[in-house]
Amino acid sequence: MNTSSGVVSGAFVLITGLWYLALPNMVACEDMQTGEVLQGCVEVMTPLITYFCATPPLVLAVFFHTLKHGERSAVQLQTIPIDAEGRAVLSPDAPATNEQIPLEAYVAWGVTIGGFSMAGAFSLSFIVGVFLALPLLLLSGMAMGSSGNSDVGWLVNIYEVLFFVMRAGFWLFAVSATAKVVLDRGQNLRDESPRRPTKIMASCPSCGAKLKFPIDYSGQVQCPSCEHVFVVSKG
């Protein structure tokens, strides 16, 4: 189920990415009579079409994929027995905890950071546009263009930073998502390959204690409980 949802959300990202690349090129900025490209139209319409029509579907696709396949901090609870004095009792057979973070976790974090960075930067740019840029443009128009370029320079800088974060977030997301697909595919192939058990269990003929030894071992085995010696055969 997780694999199928990953294919669907990944295909959604791919389709919206192609839409993002193709839509700005569909803008007709040519003179109907001469066929000359109108540079003013290109400078105004292309960014507007890209921002309002091409970018939102891509952001939504990236955000959806991030929610489905980004890193999730899983909380694992383990019950530890307590003795009569309130002290924790650990079994000598308890497995050692591996603190090494697998590569898959780093890749998943890359998907999460990239996806949320892109979506957050786009959302913030929209908020800045609605509450700062649009009112400023209206005030500038009412003042008959008295505001100079220096008056909106800080606003341009904000948008440059936000657009940079969006691009960087998308590429981090794209690289991490691709690496995650490759790693998940490799893990699925390893899980599907047949595995032979490395150890088998046998009961001591004397006391009945359960003993483990390598599956390929043949020869004498001494029971650690009763010290009885018996012979096992290979396989």
Side-chain angles (χ1 to χ4, degrees), residues 4-185:
S4 61
S5 64
V7 171
V8 173
S9 60
F12 188 27
V13 173
L14 181 60
I15 293 173
T16 54
L18 295 175
W19 172 258
Y20 175 84
L21 295 175
L23 184 61
N25 297 324
M26 300 179 184
V27 179
C29 287
E30 297 180 355
D31 188 276
M32 297 293 294
Q33 298 179 351
T34 63
E36 181 182 358
V37 177
L38 303 176
Q39 192 62 29
C41 175
V42 174
E43 293 177 354
V44 175
M45 292 302 298
T46 300
L48 290 177
I49 292 295
T50 302
Y51 182 79
F52 288 103
C53 299
T55 306
L58 180 59
V59 172
L60 290 176
V62 169
F63 187 67
F64 176 77
H65 189 89
T66 301
L67 292 178
K68 287 290 185 179
H69 305 283
E71 176 64 17
R72 299 179 181 179
S73 299
V75 179
Q76 297 180 352
L77 301 179
Q78 183 178 3
T79 303
I80 300 178
I82 306 297
D83 61 11
E85 299 181 0
R87 295 175 297 186
V89 179
L90 299 180
S91 171
D93 298 330
T97 302
N98 185 10
E99 297 294 341
Q100 184 178 3
I101 301 177
L103 181 59
E104 289 81 357
Y106 287 111
V107 171
W109 275 117
V111 172
T112 301
I113 295 173
F116 277 99
S117 297
M118 182 182 181
F122 179 79
S123 301
L124 187 58
S125 68
F126 186 81
I127 294 174
V128 170
V130 171
F131 292 101
L132 289 179
L134 186 59
L136 183 60
L137 291 176
L138 292 176
L139 291 175
S140 299
M142 294 174 61
M144 302 300 292
S146 60
S147 297
N149 293 331
S150 60
D151 296 333
V152 296
W154 59 272
L155 188 59
V156 173
N157 293 334
I158 291 177
Y159 270 98
E160 288 180 351
V161 171
L162 292 176
F163 290 158
F164 173 79
V165 173
M166 286 177 57
R167 289 191 294 268
F170 173 77
W171 285 113
L172 177 60
F173 165 83
V175 173
S176 301
T178 304
K180 190 173 187 301
V181 170
V182 175
L183 293 176
D184 289 346
R185 179 59 180 169

Side-chain angles (χ1 to χ4, degrees), residues 200-223:
I200 60 174
M201 182 177 294
S203 300
C204 174
S206 177
C207 66
K210 301 295 184 181
L211 306 178
K212 289 183 178 181
F213 52 90
I215 189 173
D216 295 331
Y217 176 77
S218 60
Q220 293 183 339
V221 176
Q222 185 177 23
C223 176

